Amino acid sequence: LIMIQCREQGGDEKKEDESDMASISTGINDTGDNDAVCGHSDQQHQHSDQDSCTGNCDCDDEPNTATPPPYRHHSNNPPEISLRVLLPLLYLLEQRHGPNKVNSIVTAAGYAVGITDGSISYHSFLEASPDDVWISVNFHTELRNLIFAKLYDMEELPPRSHPLWQMWREAGILAFQKEGLGSAMYQVLKAFGSPGILYRNLPFSCRRGNTVLSCKLLKSPVAGRVEVSMRPHHPDTYEEGHECCLNRIGCLEAIPLIWGLKKAEVEHTRCMHDPVNPADECRYVIRFEDRWILGVAKALLGSALCFVAVFYYVPLPSFSASFAAGLILSLALEGNLRLLRVRNLYKQDLEHMRHIVDLYDKRYMDLWKESEELRRLTLDNRNISAYVPPPLLNRLRVRREQAPRLGGSKREATIVFTDIRGYSTISEHLDPSQTLQMLNEVFSAWVKDVQSHGGTVLEFLGDGMLAVFGAPNDIPDHPAQAVRCLQAMVHTMERLNKTLQVNGGMRSSAAKRSSTKLGFRGGVHTGMVVAGNLGSATQMKYAVVGDAVNVAARLEQLNKSLGTVVAVSGETYARLPDNLKKWVGPKGHHFVKGRNQAVEVYTHGNFSTMPGRSRRLSLD
C-alpha cells in the first residue's frame, strides 16, 4: 500500500511511465549500465551484478530496493532526502509567508550549497514529482538557517525551547494529512490500512524517504505499541539538527489521525541531539490506538480457520459440536497469544524502565558533581575575594576570559597614606593577640570609610594603610573624595577611642601607663601614576607607582614634625571645592625626603590639642 504513488495535477491523475519506474526501482542508470546503487550511504557506492548489495558491502541493513535517482540538476546536491519529506514544511511556510518569500529562501539555499544557476526553486519543486527530486542534508541545513534569518529576522538560531522549532513538528503532522499525502493516497490508506500496518512498515518507508538513516523495529511489536530506532549509516560524517527529531515525532504522532483516532503518544527515550548526553541513535517508543474493525476481522478469521480445522481433522458427532470446539480453540489460541504479548510487553517495559533508571542515575550523579563543583567554586570565590579589593575582583570577573598580565597604564589619581598615631607606645604594653585585634578593628573601620567614598585599599603596611582614589575605577572628583574620606576617618578614630579601648585591654594596661589615645596621621597628594599589575607572571598584585605615591607617603610622615593630623599637598588643595578648602589651612612650603623642590602643604588638626591628649609623644 505504501508503494502506491499517486500524482494529481489539475484534477487529472497521471501515472508514471512503467519503464521509468522499473529503471528507478532496480537502480539502472540512464546509460544502460547494469550496476546497482546500494542507497544506504550518502555516497553512491557501486556493486556488480554478482554482489550487488547482497551482504558483501558495508551496509548495515537490507539493500534499498527503492533507490532514489540522482538529482537531475546538479551533483553539488547529492540525493540524501526525498523532496516528499521537505514539501510539508514548505507548504506550511507558504501558508504563513506566501509563495514568493518561500521561493526566495529555497533559491538562496541552492546558492549556499553551490547551485548558482537558479534551477532550484520552490516553483520547480511544485512542478516536479516529489519522488523524482532529492535534496542533500546540507541543503536542508542552509534552508533552516535562512528560514530564521530571512523570515523571522534572527541573526542566530534560537534556543531549543523556542516555539518556532515546533514548525518542523507541525510539518510532520501535515505530512500525514490529506494535504500532504494527496487525496488518492489518503483515501487508499484510510480504506485499507491501519496505524499498526504503517508503524510496522516504518523501516521500508524510511528507506524510501532517505539514503542516510536506517530504521529498525526493536524486538517484536505488540498491539498498540512499537519501539523504533533510527541511526545514521555513517555517524562520523552525518550531521543534522534537532529539528529533524521534531519532524519525525510529528510524523509518528500523526499516523493515527488518518483514521480519525487520537494522536499517538511518542516517547523520545534516546536522542542524538541531546546537549547533555547525546546518544548514537534516536529511539522512539510509540503507543497508539489501532482500528478495532481489523481486530474483529482478525478474530473472525481465526475462529473460521479453527472451525475448519476441527471440522475436517477432528470428527465430532454434529456440526454444532465442531463449531463450538473450533470457537473454544480459537479463543484459547487468542488468549495464549495475548498472554505472550503481555509478557513480552512487560519485559520490554521492564528493560526500558531499567534503562531510564540508569540514565537518571547517571544524570543525578552528573548534577551532583556539577553542584559540588559549583559549591567549591563559590567557596573559593568567597575566600579569595577577601584578599582582593572589590573593584579589582569585579574587573577580573568581567574579563575572566583574559589572563592577567604584568604592566599598567598612566592615569591621574589621588594617593592617601594613613598611619596609627601612638601605636608603638600602646602596643608595647599589649599582648600580640590584643595588638592584632586592635589593628583589625582600626583597619576594618578605615576600609569601610575608603570604600564608601569610592576608593580602593591596596596595602596594609604594619600599622599604616595605602589607598588610592581614581584607580582602578574612574572617579571624576577623586581629590575631593579622598579628603572627605580623611574627614570620616577623624570621626571614626574619635568613635573608636570611646568604644574600643582594645576591648578593655588598653584600659587595664596601656591606659594605666600613659594617657595616650589612638589617633592617626594622613597624607594626601594628587598626581600622575602608573596603575597596573606588579610582580611576576606567577604572583602579582595591583599597585600604583610614581612620584605621587612617594610624596603622599612623605606628607604623612611630615605630620610628626608639624604636629598635625592630615597633610594635603597644594596639587590636591587646588582641586578641592570651597567647603573642603576651609577644612584645611596653609602651612607653607616644606622639603620632603626624595624631592629637590619644596611641596606646598595644607594641614588639618593639631594632635597636641586633640581631645584626650595631655602631652606630645615622640614615636621615633
Side-chain angles (χ1 to χ4, degrees):
L1 292 176
I2 300 176
M3 294 180 62
I4 298 176
Q5 303 296 325
C6 298
R7 184 181 177 194
E8 297 181 285
Q9 291 185 358
D12 297 330
E13 295 186 357
K14 294 184 179 180
K15 297 183 178 179
E16 294 290 329
D17 186 83
E18 295 181 358
S19 62
D20 291 341
M21 291 300 296
S23 175
I24 292 173
S25 62
T26 56
I28 299 177
N29 55 27
D30 296 335
T31 60
D33 296 336
N34 292 327
D35 294 341
V37 183
C38 176
H40 281 77
S41 68
D42 53 352
Q43 298 177 350
Q44 298 175 351
H45 47 286
Q46 302 288 329
H47 301 277
S48 64
D49 289 337
Q50 290 77 12
D51 62 347
S52 75
C53 207
T54 58
N56 296 329
C57 67
D58 58 350
C59 299
D60 297 332
D61 303 312
E62 300 176 359
N64 191 343
T65 58
T67 301
Y71 187 53
R72 56 190 179 187
H73 292 303
H74 290 277
S75 60
N76 292 337
N77 191 41
E80 295 174 332
I81 303 174
S82 172
L83 179 61
R84 188 177 293 277
V85 178
L86 181 64
L87 275 180
L89 177 63
L90 299 180
Y91 289 156
L92 197 64
L93 293 173
E94 179 186 0
Q95 295 173 2
R96 298 181 181 181
H97 302 280
N100 293 332
K101 289 186 177 180
V102 176
N103 185 69
S104 65
I105 63 172
V106 171
T107 305
Y111 274 86
V113 297
I115 304 175
T116 58
D117 58 0
S119 58
I120 285 187
S121 67
Y122 180 51
H123 301 310
S124 66
F125 284 170
L126 293 178
E127 295 173 358
S129 172
D131 297 303
D132 290 344
V133 179
W134 288 66
I135 60 173
S136 65
V137 175
N138 290 337
F139 177 85
H140 180 270
T141 302
E142 294 295 337
L143 182 65
R144 174 203 65 189
N145 298 339
L146 289 170
I147 287 174
F148 289 110
K150 302 298 184 182
L151 299 184
Y152 295 98
D153 298 327
M154 293 184 178
E155 297 181 358
E156 298 180 354
L157 294 179
R160 293 167 61 95
S161 59
H162 199 282
L164 283 179
W165 288 112
Q166 296 301 317
M167 282 191 302
W168 277 264
R169 191 170 188 171
E170 296 172 10
I173 296 174
L174 179 63
F176 281 88
Q177 294 180 356
K178 190 173 183 179
E179 297 84 350
L181 291 173
S183 60
M185 174 70 77
Y186 182 80
Q187 295 299 335
V188 170
L189 288 177
K190 188 173 183 180
F192 301 104
S194 72
I197 294 176
L198 289 188
Y199 284 127
R200 285 191 289 271
N201 283 276
L202 281 176
F204 176 78
S205 302
C206 182
R207 289 196 297 270
R208 287 187 61 84
N210 79 95
T211 61
V212 290
L213 283 178
S214 65
C215 177
K216 290 184 180 180
L217 297 181
L218 302 180
K219 302 182 180 178
S220 58
V222 297
R225 183 184 184 277
V226 67
E227 190 169 355
V228 181
S229 171
M230 293 187 179
R231 64 176 64 204
H233 294 297
H234 301 279
D236 297 335
T237 59
Y238 180 71
E239 293 184 3
E240 68 173 14
H242 75 283
E243 70 277 359
C244 296
C245 275
L246 296 174
N247 185 259
R248 290 192 285 266
I249 291 174
C251 292
L252 297 175
E253 289 177 333
I255 287 177
L257 297 179
I258 299 176
W259 297 272
L261 305 174
K262 66 178 182 179
K263 282 184 182 180
E265 297 179 4
V266 180
E267 183 181 358
H268 198 181
T269 58
R270 296 184 186 180
C271 183
M272 295 184 288
H273 316 97
D274 191 329
V276 180
N277 292 309
D280 58 351
E281 63 175 349
C282 281
R283 183 174 294 187
Y284 309 93
V285 178
I286 310 162
R287 295 177 175 85
F288 60 94
E289 179 185 350
D290 214 338
R291 298 180 69 186
W292 64 270
I293 190 172
L294 294 180
V296 172
K298 184 178 179 181
L300 293 176
L301 180 61
S303 301
L305 292 176
C306 291
F307 167 72
V308 171
V310 171
F311 184 79
Y312 282 100
Y313 296 102
V314 181
L316 292 175
S318 63
F319 177 84
S320 60
S322 298
F323 179 78
L327 182 61
I328 293 174
L329 179 60
S330 174
L331 293 176
L333 291 176
E334 182 66 21
N336 189 38
L337 288 176
R338 287 183 178 272
L339 179 61
L340 291 177
R341 290 171 181 171
V342 170
R343 287 182 177 178
N344 187 26
L345 181 61
Y346 170 75
K347 291 180 180 179
Q348 293 183 18
D349 286 343
L350 183 61
E351 182 180 351
H352 177 58
M353 185 60 66
R354 288 173 178 171
H355 171 71
I356 291 178
V357 171
D358 293 339
L359 179 62
Y360 276 91
D361 283 345
K362 184 177 182 301
R363 290 192 176 184
Y364 174 79
M365 291 301 298
D366 293 340
L367 290 175
W368 182 81
K369 292 178 181 178
E370 291 178 2
S371 64
E372 284 296 303
E373 183 67 21
L374 181 61
R375 188 181 69 88
R376 286 193 293 268
L377 289 175
T378 303
L379 294 177
D380 293 344
N381 186 34
R382 182 198 64 184
N383 296 337
I384 294 175
S385 62
Y387 291 88
V388 182
L392 297 180
L393 187 62
N394 293 334
R395 286 167 61 92
L396 292 175
R397 287 171 176 168
V398 172
R399 304 175 183 178
R400 57 172 55 93
E401 300 296 334
Q402 302 177 3
R405 295 181 299 177
L406 295 175
S409 59
K410 284 187 176 182
R411 63 192 307 158
E412 187 183 60
T414 299
I415 311 300
V416 175
F417 272 92
T418 58
D419 181 71
I420 298 178
R421 191 183 69 245
Y423 170 77
S424 300
T425 302
I426 296 173
S427 61
E428 179 184 358
H429 306 288
L430 294 178
D431 184 82
S433 61
Q434 291 179 316
T435 302
L436 181 62
Q437 182 181 1
M438 178 192 68
L439 291 175
N440 289 335
E441 292 286 349
V442 173
F443 287 150
S444 297
W446 285 1
V447 169
K448 185 177 180 180
D449 291 334
V450 172
Q451 293 179 353
S452 63
H453 290 85
T456 301
V457 176
L458 297 185
E459 287 189 71
F460 297 103
L461 309 168
D463 63 331
M465 186 180 74
L466 166 62
V468 59
F469 293 79
N473 295 338
D474 294 327
I475 304 176
D477 57 340
H478 52 85
Q481 291 296 334
V483 175
R484 291 190 183 101
C485 175
L486 290 172
Q487 283 183 324
M489 287 183 177
V490 171
H491 299 295
T492 296
M493 295 307 297
E494 294 176 356
R495 176 176 54 82
L496 288 176
N497 278 317
K498 294 178 181 178
T499 59
L500 262 183
Q501 294 293 318
V502 194
N503 290 335
M506 284 178 58
R507 182 171 301 147
S508 60
S509 56
K512 293 181 180 179
R513 297 171 176 83
S514 174
S515 58
T516 304
K517 291 185 178 181
L518 287 177
F520 87 104
R521 293 185 295 265
V524 189
H525 180 62
T526 302
M528 297 300 297
V529 297
V530 176
N533 296 325
L534 176 69
S536 68
T538 58
Q539 184 175 352
M540 63 185 70
K541 70 172 184 177
Y542 188 85
V544 287
V545 179
D547 179 66
V549 181
N550 298 329
V551 172
R554 301 308 178 189
L555 288 176
E556 183 271 321
Q557 297 174 359
L558 186 63
N559 286 295
K560 296 180 181 179
S561 58
L562 298 180
T564 54
V565 177
V566 176
V568 180
S569 69
E571 287 80 356
T572 302
Y573 179 84
R575 304 277 296 276
L576 297 178
D578 294 338
N579 59 333
L580 289 180
K581 288 181 178 180
K582 297 178 181 179
W583 189 67
V584 294
K587 207 68 174 181
H589 290 72
H590 297 265
F591 286 95
V592 296
K593 187 177 180 180
R595 257 209 171 195
N596 296 327
Q597 296 180 352
V599 179
E600 185 179 8
V601 179
Y602 295 81
T603 62
H604 169 80
N606 187 339
F607 69 83
S608 61
T609 61
M610 293 273 300
R613 296 292 301 181
S614 59
R615 59 187 177 88
R616 177 173 177 177
L617 292 177
S618 175
L619 301 181
D620 297 331

